[in-house]
Amino acid sequence: MNSLEELAQLAESAGAEVVGKIVQQLPAPSHDYYIGKGKIDELVALKSTNDYNVIILDDELTPNQQQNLEEALEVKVIDRVALILDIFARRARTHEGRLQVELAQHQYLLPRLAGQWSHLERLGGGIGTRGPGESQLETDRRLIRHKIQRLEKQTEEIRKRRALYRHQRQKSGIPVVALVGYTNAGKSTLLNTLCRADALVDDRLFATLDPTTRRLILPDNNAVLVTDTVGFIRKLPPTIINAFRATLEELSEASLLLHVVDLASPDAAQQCQTVESILGELGLADKKRLTVLNKLDRLLESEPAQDGQGVESVLASLGVAPDEGTVLISAVKGWGLPRLLEVIIRALAGSLASASSPSKGEVR
């Protein structure tokens, strides 16, 4: 799946109906419009046949590019960042998640406020067209900055609270196993299957935003905490990473990361690279981890394997082979989970605490 196809999936996840896709190869994006003049004319001509009312660009636009495109096309124009933020706003269910999304939205909005008042500039000079517009714009900027400061203070409180929870977990001696991976790789399904949990499972991008932690009793009767986290995606906006740092810090304290990969995705190799790149940005490149190649059942359905050759060819494209650090599974079918648990036990050797009771429940 290329980036544009993924953008279409994101749009559908946000409730949009995709009526067309256009690609343009340019040495560099247009400074004023992002796309070229000829492509703008083509989009104007398509409006009568496709009857579209929103244009979504697959990169982040500058405020000037967005404003110029909206004037030229006379429709709403949004970029990949705004689309992802919209999906996050729809999916966040907890107070903590909504706070982090709201912070990212305001950080995205602040540099784009000027466009909201561009109509005053087009009125030209004269009485009543100078002060009011500038004054209102500055008022709005000040309000947004104050809102950002308040949200940053609240997210900082979340960070402190989560740090306290992590300290309490460390005192209990129970290791934390964190699930990471590309969005829709099957992390929540794996959590539910391993822990008999009830985390939301949906075949959509970013179905899970709010972290969920469950207790798991391993076959050797030791206990671990398994945490499901927000999925990653290519071109993940920096505002999202910064706003969600309070929850992403959970990964830094984990004893082990399980990098869950959608083995059936035609873009699995690129998705792996994206996850590894983001983990590097978070300072987790050297964190102990296992690679969990999920959705083996779907792979075998889409590409029937002959003596395992179908599976082996996909693994070769990923540059991995089943070993002590790589496990093939189907979370939905339960395939490979006994071996996964054995590998987790060996990876956590020396850091496991005996379970006092086999209870399973949500912890924060």
Side-chain angles (χ1 to χ4, degrees):
M1 181 193 303
N2 61 35
S3 185
L4 194 61
E5 290 171 343
E6 185 175 79
L7 184 72
Q9 281 196 10
L10 287 168
E12 290 166 355
S13 293
E17 177 187 357
V18 179
V19 298
K21 306 173 189 176
I22 290 182
V23 177
Q24 183 175 34
Q25 299 288 343
L26 289 174
S30 164
H31 179 268
D32 293 325
Y33 292 93
Y34 180 77
I35 57 177
K37 184 65 168 61
K39 196 60 63 175
I40 292 176
D41 294 339
E42 183 179 343
L43 285 169
V44 171
L46 283 172
K47 193 187 300 184
S48 59
T49 56
N50 291 52
D51 193 29
Y52 65 82
N53 53 20
V54 178
I55 293 286
I56 306 175
L57 279 296
D58 194 34
D59 280 307
E60 182 171 3
L61 301 176
T62 67
N64 186 56
Q65 289 170 334
Q66 181 179 356
Q67 180 183 335
N68 290 341
L69 278 174
E70 288 186 339
E71 291 178 353
L73 300 172
E74 297 183 342
V75 295
K76 184 178 181 180
V77 174
I78 64 175
D79 58 19
R80 186 183 181 93
V81 177
L83 179 60
I84 292 175
L85 287 173
D86 181 83
I87 295 172
F88 273 44
R90 291 167 181 259
R91 303 285 164 79
R93 288 172 171 78
T94 65
H95 176 65
E96 175 182 332
R98 288 192 291 268
L99 273 180
Q100 292 174 117
V101 172
E102 189 177 0
L103 173 59
Q105 287 177 315
H106 280 83
Q107 290 172 333
Y108 174 81
L109 174 63
L110 182 59
R112 289 165 173 79
L113 276 179
Q116 307 297 321
W117 299 98
S118 59
H119 64 285
L120 292 172
E121 298 173 2
R122 293 195 296 271
L123 292 176
I127 297 174
T129 61
R130 296 187 185 92
E134 181 180 355
S135 173
Q136 185 62 59
L137 176 58
E138 288 306 313
T139 298
D140 285 355
R141 281 176 172 159
R142 185 163 52 254
L143 290 173
I144 293 292
R145 289 192 186 102
H146 288 165
K147 183 79 169 181
I148 289 174
Q149 290 173 358
R150 183 174 65 82
L151 291 169
E152 286 177 336
K153 182 178 180 180
Q154 289 178 295
T155 54
E156 182 60 28
E157 291 172 356
I158 291 172
R159 292 179 68 180
K160 292 178 180 177
R161 188 167 65 247
R162 284 196 166 274
L164 179 60
Y165 292 150
R166 287 195 297 270
H167 179 66
Q168 293 172 342
R169 290 174 187 170
Q170 290 170 353
K171 288 175 64 177
S172 73
I174 301 179
V176 176
V177 176
L179 306 179
V180 299
Y182 210 78
T183 180
N184 206 29
K187 298 183 297 299
S188 296
T189 301
L190 180 57
L191 175 75
N192 288 344
T193 304
L194 287 176
C195 305
R196 298 197 296 275
D198 56 357
L200 174 66
V201 173
D202 197 346
D203 190 17
R204 296 184 298 173
L205 303 183
F206 296 119
T208 301
L209 285 187
D210 303 304
T212 301
T213 301
R214 295 291 186 272
R215 186 184 181 95
L216 170 66
I217 306 302
L218 295 170
D220 64 353
N221 205 38
N222 283 310
V224 296
L225 299 176
V226 183
T227 298
D228 185 17
T229 59
V230 61
F232 298 152
I233 196 169
R234 75 186 88 189
K235 303 178 184 178
L236 189 66
T239 50
I240 286 289
I241 295 177
N242 290 334
F244 275 74
R245 193 166 295 275
T247 50
L248 290 174
E249 283 179 351
E250 296 286 314
L251 303 178
S252 65
E253 300 296 330
S255 306
L256 178 68
L257 302 183
L258 298 189
H259 178 182
V260 183
V261 180
D262 180 358
L263 188 59
S265 170
D267 203 25
Q270 177 61 47
Q271 291 177 0
C272 282
Q273 292 175 9
T274 297
V275 172
E276 292 298 330
S277 176
I278 295 174
L279 289 176
E281 291 177 24
L282 295 171
L284 300 172
D286 297 326
K287 192 70 161 178
K288 182 188 293 187
R289 80 192 66 169
L290 301 175
T291 301
V292 181
L293 303 175
N294 189 28
K295 302 190 182 181
L296 178 60
D297 57 310
R298 289 196 182 182
L299 175 66
L300 297 180
E301 290 172 2
S302 60
E303 296 185 22
Q306 297 179 355
D307 298 327
Q309 292 179 4
V311 174
E312 293 301 327
S313 64
V314 174
L315 295 183
S317 72
L318 294 172
V320 298
D323 55 26
E324 196 63 15
T326 305
V327 184
L328 278 165
I329 72 163
S330 166
V332 72
K333 298 284 188 181
W335 300 349
L337 297 188
R339 180 173 182 270
L340 173 61
L341 293 175
E342 291 173 4
V343 175
I344 290 174
I345 290 172
R346 287 195 288 270
L348 292 174
S351 59
L352 287 167
S354 296
S356 57
S357 66
S359 61
K360 299 175 178 67
E362 183 174 4
V363 293
R364 300 177 67 183

